[in-house]
Amino acid sequence: MTEAPQASAAVAAWARFAVRLMTPFVLGLLLALAGCAPTDPNGSIEGLIAPPSVSVVTADPDLVAASLHTLGVSQFPADAEYFTDGVHQFVYDGALKQIEKVNEVLCLLAQSRYEALTNDGLYLAQIDPGLCATGGGPLNQAGGGRQLEEWIVRSLRPTIQDPQRVEFWVPTQEEGGGLLPPTTLFSRLDVFAAPTASNPFGAFHMNFAGTAQNGNPKDAQYCGLIATRPPVVGRFGYDLFFLRGDLGQLPLVGDHHELTQVRVDLAVDQSSGFAAISRLERRNDPFNGDSGVVPKLVRLAFDATTLVRQEDQGPVVALQRDAFGSCSLRYNLYVDDARLGTLGERVRLRTGVPIRLESGSQAFLDYYGLHRPNGEIVVDGEFAQEELPGGGLDPKPLELRVAPGRLIELTRNTTPISTLAGTIFEWDEPWTPQSNGPVTYRLVCDGVDFIAVEIFDPVAGAFTPISPFAVPLDAWFVLRLRSKRFGGNCAVRLGSPDLSWYTERVVSGDDSLFKAQSTLNLYALLDALRPGITALEAEAGDVFFPPANNPGSPYTYVFDRADRTLRTLDTFQQLSPVGLANGEIPASGPFVKGMRSGPLVVDTTSLQTNEEIFDAATYYVWETGANEWNWWFGLTDSTGATLVLDAPLQFPYTHSTANDANGDSTYDGVQFLLEYRGDGQLFGIPYQPVDTDIDGQPDHDAPIFSLADGVALGPLGSGYVVKTIERELLLLPAGSIPPGLDPAQADALTLPDGSFYRTPDIGPVPPLVEAPTVVGGELLRLRPRN
């Protein structure tokens, strides 16, 4: 037996697993939950899958369904995917933070689709951590590109009698926000039985270890296991053990050491159970020094009707097991107009293609950029070929196109300012030569003015309260704001009764606005980005030309469709690319994630003032920066035509009580910008903090409302209907504690001590240069057997 290693002082990759919950990416995962995992390509060996999430208590699905409002979809055939796609729901308890760690790991593993690629040899899975995260972040702003982690996976099951063995290598895990050396994660998962209705955990055992990059898992910096326990005398459950560092030693500054132990013990019929969670942590805070060893203990017990919970020596909290608050975390869209497809069919978007680069390496190109192993350098114009489903290459030659920025078309929507009371915005005060540096405020609209209530503290990395003041529109004329409710970028100008907000799409160069022209002239009046920006200027917020004198003397830009690059005159009166000078990379400030220009229009002659440019029905912005997600990547064929990929569906939506799953009228008549990116990925409903552990302090983010199944949505207000595929349930307070139900009963549980940990000795990180087989949980193709 290999003992659990003593972890060294480093920020573990485990720390990056924070509050992400399961997403049922495709129907295969939902079938697996029913004990019916997809089979391999040859149909000989059926794959097994661990549950993509677990919880301590369960809820009666019929009871939950009866409490929710839905809209009818009788127009769909009985076998439509709308009806056959399953729903995953789980009970969330804010006091059980360590259970969230279990769920994060299971979610990320499930995203690799190992059950569908059994015995297929090594493959590359590009994992999207954002799909395992809750939250309503802005959609349309610089730095909003998709971030993918590259995992190498091997899934084995020699015979139907054998368990599923899955090996994972994550070659590069960023540490400490990229400030510490990266680590490598090794993990082995053994699945002995799939989940069933009577055993929602199935049977699995997973060991993991993190090392210095490309290290040996026997010399782990952190390690742990997640494992189910087989039913014994009518009980079953699961354990978590995690060790990092030495609690007897002072961690490095900014680091921490930790020992976490979790045991969940349930009756086989799930009518009663106990759980105990112990966490010992020692931090070395940059400001406060050594925290000492800080213990945390959570105990709970429940019967068929009530759950009782106690944190440390705090009060005992009682919650109902048969009454829930409900919110939807993931949705799918389904066709509701025969002109758009088959009625009731799940909306599928072709957002990307696997390709072979000129070097022989393989990659994946999608709407958000180019993803390839090891971040290989690519150049504009290099040869590429598309990978065909099932293997092989399309002989048609393609060119990979790379541009230093993206031209984005914005279509304006409006909402009266008078309806915005209580809406939160963020605002970057415009840079001036007299500024001490960029300043970001949090504003709250009162229906008339925009009131600054907090300022961002870059040292603390958080907003802090200030004495409120109304931002004077007559001083700035236009406020360029950010809002989760409106997808990111929006604006309000002096004299306008409306807030402007926008749907967006990336311009490829093949758009009709170019007609037969090889270039397109565009004009700017405000926030006109300069060429040749240095890193120091970007860090200080100094990236724009001064405002134009008037609409008759705008700044002129030229977008060249040949290289997809925007240029303007530099100080030498030469046309130069707009944005950062070559080799300049800002390390701090407001433009680290990229920068966007103000409005660019094809004509300014109809405008009376500079600020009226924000009222244009359609305008363009140039996004650029030092990050690849700020650049444009595309493929062109021998005729110069660009390969078309599906853009996310963006559309405005106005909420109502009739469309609310819980019949809540709070947001009646309020508009939002929604965006659908494919299975389970409907974004744009803002999240807000809620108090789930009933201690008077917000501890969890949840969506501000949930859409009822069957609500009509789409760019034209209809065309599709929505359905929840993942639902979170919150237990509601109980009036009393039943006699004999005591969280102290959980003290009888034996916490896991790491004795069952086994080093995931799966060998060094294998070399693998190929296009991803899975991207963000989407299975791109089933490969031929090796």
Side-chain angles (χ1 to χ4, degrees):
M1 181 187 78
T2 302
E3 296 293 337
Q6 191 72 23
S8 67
V11 178
W14 179 272
R16 304 177 67 239
F17 293 160
V19 199
R20 301 173 189 161
L21 300 173
M22 174 265 176
T23 301
F25 304 101
V26 289
L27 180 59
L29 293 183
L30 296 168
L31 292 174
L33 285 173
C36 183
T39 57
D40 64 51
N42 292 342
S44 56
I45 303 296
E46 184 180 77
L48 295 175
I49 187 172
S53 73
V54 294
S55 59
V56 176
V57 294
T58 55
D60 182 342
D62 293 332
L63 187 66
V64 174
S67 68
L68 297 172
H69 171 60
T70 61
L71 302 181
V73 286
S74 58
Q75 69 275 24
F76 292 165
D79 60 351
E81 288 178 315
Y82 180 91
F83 298 117
T84 60
D85 281 1
V87 181
H88 177 69
Q89 59 189 21
F90 61 94
V91 177
Y92 176 82
D93 189 328
L96 308 181
K97 297 295 185 183
Q98 307 315 311
I99 305 301
E100 296 177 14
K101 291 185 176 182
V102 178
N103 283 332
E104 164 133 27
V105 173
L106 293 174
C107 170
L108 296 174
L109 295 181
Q111 200 181 134
S112 73
R113 299 303 311 280
Y114 59 82
E115 84 292 350
L117 293 163
T118 303
N119 299 331
D120 277 5
L122 292 168
Y123 67 92
L124 178 65
Q126 291 190 327
I127 303 300
D128 187 345
L131 297 182
C132 292
T134 58
L139 308 174
N140 303 328
Q141 64 183 47
R146 192 181 199 187
Q147 304 299 300
L148 299 176
E149 297 178 352
E150 292 172 345
W151 291 29
I152 298 173
V153 186
R154 178 163 53 210
S155 182
L156 305 168
R157 194 182 186 199
T159 72
I160 199 70
Q161 288 78 34
D162 291 308
Q164 188 99 4
R165 172 178 172 176
V166 193
E167 300 166 340
F168 300 92
W169 297 263
V170 186
T172 303
Q173 287 266 295
E174 294 295 332
E175 294 291 333
L179 299 178
L180 296 176
T183 61
T184 294
L185 178 66
F186 299 81
S187 179
R188 172 174 166 174
L189 169 68
D190 292 279
V191 185
F192 304 95
T196 64
S198 61
N199 180 6
F201 309 142
F204 69 92
H205 194 113
M206 189 191 77
N207 297 280
F208 58 89
T211 73
Q213 193 164 26
N214 297 317
N216 187 325
K218 293 180 180 179
D219 302 318
Q221 297 178 348
Y222 61 92
C223 68
L225 66 87
I226 303 170
T228 58
R229 297 191 311 280
V232 177
V233 293
R235 314 289 300 178
F236 75 118
Y238 59 88
D239 296 328
L240 163 68
F241 173 86
F242 174 64
L243 171 68
R244 180 176 76 200
D246 180 354
L247 291 166
Q249 300 293 324
L250 179 67
L252 296 175
V253 175
D255 199 358
H256 77 282
H257 296 162
E258 174 188 349
L259 172 63
T260 295
Q261 300 160 282
V262 177
R263 171 152 288 195
V264 175
D265 184 79
L266 308 176
V268 291
D269 64 0
Q270 303 165 55
S271 63
S272 63
F274 308 97
I277 298 172
S278 172
R279 176 185 171 94
L280 301 175
E281 183 180 32
R282 183 175 183 180
R283 291 188 172 274
N284 189 350
D285 185 81
F287 302 102
N288 300 316
D290 185 5
S291 67
V293 177
V294 179
K296 179 74 173 180
L297 178 64
V298 180
R299 303 172 296 172
L300 63 82
F302 64 86
D303 60 18
T305 61
T306 309
L307 177 145
V308 292
R309 181 188 66 221
Q310 185 177 33
E311 297 185 53
D312 299 321
Q313 299 304 311
V316 175
V317 174
L319 303 167
Q320 302 177 66
R321 279 203 66 199
D322 50 5
F324 307 94
S326 170
C327 64
S328 298
L329 301 182
R330 313 285 178 187
Y331 303 87
N332 278 342
L333 290 188
Y334 299 82
V335 175
D336 191 36
D337 185 328
R339 293 170 296 181
L340 300 175
T342 303
L343 290 179
E345 180 180 61
R346 191 181 334 116
V347 176
R348 293 171 171 83
L349 300 177
R350 185 181 185 240
T351 58
V353 293
I355 60 173
R356 182 78 57 86
L357 299 173
E358 190 172 296
S359 65
S361 298
Q362 294 172 290
F364 184 75
L365 178 76
D366 66 12
Y367 184 81
Y368 304 97
L370 183 68
H371 314 283
R372 67 273 190 200
N374 306 317
E376 178 180 334
I377 295 175
V378 295
V379 296
D380 181 48
E382 74 172 66
F383 174 75
Q385 288 177 280
E386 183 177 349
E387 293 263 358
L388 297 173
L393 297 170
D394 189 328
K396 179 176 62 180
L398 298 170
E399 270 192 288
L400 177 67
R401 306 309 312 272
V402 185
R406 304 188 301 161
L407 188 66
I408 301 172
E409 179 187 79
L410 279 68
T411 300
R412 182 178 182 239
N413 301 271
T414 60
T415 294
I417 295 173
S418 60
T419 67
L420 297 178
T423 304
I424 297 173
F425 299 86
E426 290 180 11
W427 175 59
D428 297 325
E429 186 177 55
W431 180 89
T432 67
Q434 295 77 35
S435 298
N436 293 321
V439 178
T440 298
Y441 292 98
R442 180 167 283 164
L443 314 180
V444 176
C445 183
D446 63 4
V448 178
D449 294 317
F450 293 81
I451 313 298
V453 294
E454 293 179 315
I455 190 169
F456 185 76
D457 182 345
V459 175
F463 283 92
T464 59
I466 59 174
S467 297
F469 67 90
V471 177
L473 256 178
D474 55 356
W476 300 107
F477 295 99
V478 173
L479 300 183
R480 297 188 67 184
L481 308 171
R482 294 185 297 276
S483 167
K484 290 183 178 181
R485 172 179 161 186
F486 297 109
N489 298 306
C490 45
V492 59
R493 71 171 181 85
L494 181 66
S496 174
D498 297 322
L499 176 89
S500 297
W501 52 284
Y502 310 91
T503 56
E504 296 189 2
R505 71 177 186 91
V506 176
V507 174
S508 71
D510 292 339
D511 302 74
S512 59
L513 74 149
F514 287 91
K515 301 183 174 63
Q517 305 170 99
S518 61
T519 61
L520 176 70
N521 284 353
L522 295 167
Y523 304 95
L525 300 171
L526 300 167
D527 291 345
L529 269 179
R530 296 189 286 105
I533 298 167
T534 67
L536 290 176
E537 289 171 331
E539 289 167 359
D542 179 15
V543 299
F544 301 115
F545 287 120
N549 291 329
N550 56 65
S553 56
Y555 294 99
T556 301
Y557 292 82
V558 179
F559 184 76
D560 191 330
R561 67 187 304 178
D563 62 6
R564 273 72 170 179
T565 299
L566 187 72
R567 295 178 172 84
T568 193
L569 293 176
D570 59 21
T571 55
F572 301 102
Q573 298 302 298
Q574 300 293 318
L575 282 175
S576 295
V578 172
L580 294 168
N582 286 337
E584 296 291 317
I585 302 176
S588 61
F591 301 117
V592 168
K593 292 186 176 182
M595 58 191 74
R596 282 190 172 190
S597 72
L600 300 166
V601 295
V602 295
D603 184 17
T604 62
T605 58
S606 64
L607 304 179
Q608 302 300 311
T609 67
N610 287 351
E611 292 72 35
E612 288 179 6
I613 196 170
F614 282 95
D615 293 343
T618 298
Y619 66 73
Y620 303 86
V621 296
W622 178 248
E623 178 180 322
T624 185
N627 314 288
E628 285 195 0
W629 60 70
N630 305 130
W631 306 347
W632 180 82
F633 292 88
L635 293 167
T636 56
D637 62 20
S638 57
T639 70
T642 302
L643 179 71
V644 177
L645 299 175
D646 291 334
L649 297 174
Q650 284 194 345
F651 43 86
Y653 165 73
T654 301
H655 194 53
S656 66
T657 303
N659 288 349
D660 195 284
N662 299 298
D664 186 353
S665 62
T666 303
Y667 294 95
D668 275 10
V670 179
Q671 285 183 306
F672 301 87
L673 175 61
L674 303 185
E675 178 176 290
Y676 185 66
R677 300 179 186 174
D679 283 346
Q681 301 177 63
L682 181 68
F683 297 94
I685 298 175
Y687 280 53
Q688 65 184 0
V690 295
D691 178 15
T692 62
D693 55 7
I694 316 179
D695 66 355
Q697 298 295 323
D699 57 75
H700 180 57
D701 287 343
I704 62 175
F705 64 83
S706 295
L707 293 169
D709 288 355
V711 169
L713 299 171
L716 300 178
S718 61
Y720 308 102
V721 297
V722 71
K723 175 186 172 180
T724 294
I725 59 170
E726 182 184 357
R727 181 175 292 115
E728 179 180 275
L729 306 172
L730 297 177
L731 303 179
L732 299 179
S736 61
I737 299 175
L741 194 59
D742 185 350
Q745 294 171 287
D747 291 339
L749 298 178
T750 301
L751 293 171
D753 59 6
S755 59
F756 289 101
Y757 170 81
R758 299 293 183 273
T759 299
D761 196 7
I762 57 178
V765 178
L768 181 66
V769 181
E770 67 162 31
T773 303
V774 179
V775 176
E778 179 183 357
L779 189 64
L780 300 183
R781 62 189 183 281
L782 291 176
R783 303 178 307 145
R785 293 298 174 100
N786 291 338

